[in-house]
């Protein structure tokens, strides 16, 4: 199947992070200095795990590198573009075309069937009507759920919901996929199934993955794994 084609890659590094700091409530009595100078780079197509204790700033870092949260300081480049130098519209475009997101709680729209959940990002990217339906069905086939296309999220198991979310995240052929505890709500078998799908997508489409996890088992699928501790990357 060739429903997922690679975007053009401008640089050997898909993600570059230089001296990123984050303070919440800056200058106030309740200031929290969460990230204290983060530097790391991910190569195109790399599969990367980010670990660390609860509250260490993993989600904060992921949100910053994914363009969802401003840093206090530092530079984030995706595919050679400094994302915080972009105007809002350009950042939204870059997010829509280069980045896929997967969350622990799936984030599916409850009153839309599985197929429609995947059609939404396709429509936003300008793919409409029959083409969008065909493409969405291809994506559902990719995650082994073509027979659940007309099910609402309520009628799907946790593992199935996450597979629909993966199909949705892949809809616009992202260069990089960010996943925050993607298996946090899944049992061991479903975790394995989801990780196998990630590995297949990674192998077949050279999608880069940055996965936040508490689980050594999940991290063992990664090419590289690092830990966030006291606001810095170690390992
Ligand atoms: N909007 C916010 N305002 C103030 N403090 C915040 C905000 N968001 C996060 N924090 C603080 O930043 C720190 C890091 O939070 P973050 O959610 O990034 O941790 P995490 O490593 O993802 O934890 P977990 O493993 O539990 O998901 C925490 O101390 C948290 O209280
Ligand atoms: Mg978190």
């Amino acid at each position: 199947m060739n429903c997922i084609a690679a975007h053009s890659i401008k640089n050997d590094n898909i993600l570059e992070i230089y001296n990123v700091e984050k303070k919440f409530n800056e200058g106030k009595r309740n200031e929290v200095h969460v990230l204290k100078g983060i530097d790391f780079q991910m190569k195109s197509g790399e599969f990367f795990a980010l670990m660390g204790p609860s509250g260490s700033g993993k989600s904060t870092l992921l949100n910053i590198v994914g363009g969802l949260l401003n840093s206090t300081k530092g530079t984030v480049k995706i595919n050679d573009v400094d994302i915080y130098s972009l105007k809002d519209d350009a950042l939204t475009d870059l997010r829509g075309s280069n980045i896929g997101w997967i969350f622990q709680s799936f984030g599916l729209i409850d009153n839309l069937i599985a197929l429609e959940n995947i059609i939404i990002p396709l429509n936003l990217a300008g793919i409409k009507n029959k083409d969008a339906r065909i493409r969405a069905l291809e994506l559902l086939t990719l995650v082994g759920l073509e027979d659940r296309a007309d099910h609402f999220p309520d009628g799907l198991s946790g593992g199935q919901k996450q597979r629909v979310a993966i199909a949705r995240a892949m809809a616009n052929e992202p260069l990089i996929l960010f996943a925050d505890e993607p298996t946090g709500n899944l049992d061991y078998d479903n975790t394995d199934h989801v990780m196998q799908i990630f590995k297949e997508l990674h192998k077949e489409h050279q999608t880069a993955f940055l996965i936040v996890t508490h689980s050594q088992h999940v991290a063992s699928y990664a090419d590289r794994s690092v830990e966030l501790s006291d606001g810095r990357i170690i390992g």
Side-chain angles (χ1 to χ4, degrees), residues 61-146:
L61 180 59
L62 207 62
N63 289 339
I64 289 173
V65 300
L68 299 178
L69 178 71
N70 280 308
S71 66
T72 306
K73 202 175 150 189
T75 305
V76 175
K77 288 186 177 183
I78 291 186
N79 201 22
D80 220 18
V81 175
D82 180 345
I83 63 171
Y84 289 106
S85 71
L86 297 174
K87 296 223 160 48
D88 284 355
D89 284 358
L91 179 57
T92 304
D93 282 353
L94 179 126
R95 278 208 305 259
S97 59
N98 283 318
I99 299 175
W101 275 101
I102 292 172
F103 300 99
Q104 177 173 351
S105 52
F106 321 124
L108 299 175
I109 300 172
D110 286 336
N111 58 356
L112 297 182
I113 58 171
L115 195 76
E116 291 164 342
N117 265 279
I118 300 165
I119 285 175
I120 295 256
L122 292 169
N123 284 167
L124 289 173
I127 302 168
K128 306 266 164 155
N129 308 324
K130 204 173 155 207
D131 287 346
R133 296 187 80 78
I134 291 170
R135 182 89 174 273
L137 202 55
E138 284 176 347
L139 286 153
L140 272 178
T141 307
L142 203 69
V143 295
L145 282 178
E146 61 277 25

Side-chain angles (χ1 to χ4, degrees), residues 58-60 180-181 212:
K58 302 178 300 294
S59 296
T60 302
D180 196 349
E181 298 278 2
V212 166

Side-chain angles (χ1 to χ4, degrees), residues 199-215:
K199 281 306 263 190
E200 270 165 42
L201 292 171
H202 174 244
K203 197 166 139 213
E204 281 179 34
H205 306 290
Q206 288 77 51
T207 314
F209 282 81
L210 178 52
I211 296 186
V212 166
T213 182
H214 281 112
S215 153

Side-chain angles (χ1 to χ4, degrees), residues 6-16 44 77-83 86 94 97-98 175:
H7 286 285
S8 67
I9 295 171
K10 298 177 190 149
N11 183 325
D12 196 34
N13 286 323
I14 184 67
L15 175 66
E16 297 166 83
S44 303
K77 288 186 177 183
I78 291 186
N79 201 22
D80 220 18
V81 175
D82 180 345
I83 63 171
L86 297 174
L94 179 126
S97 59
N98 283 318
L175 289 173

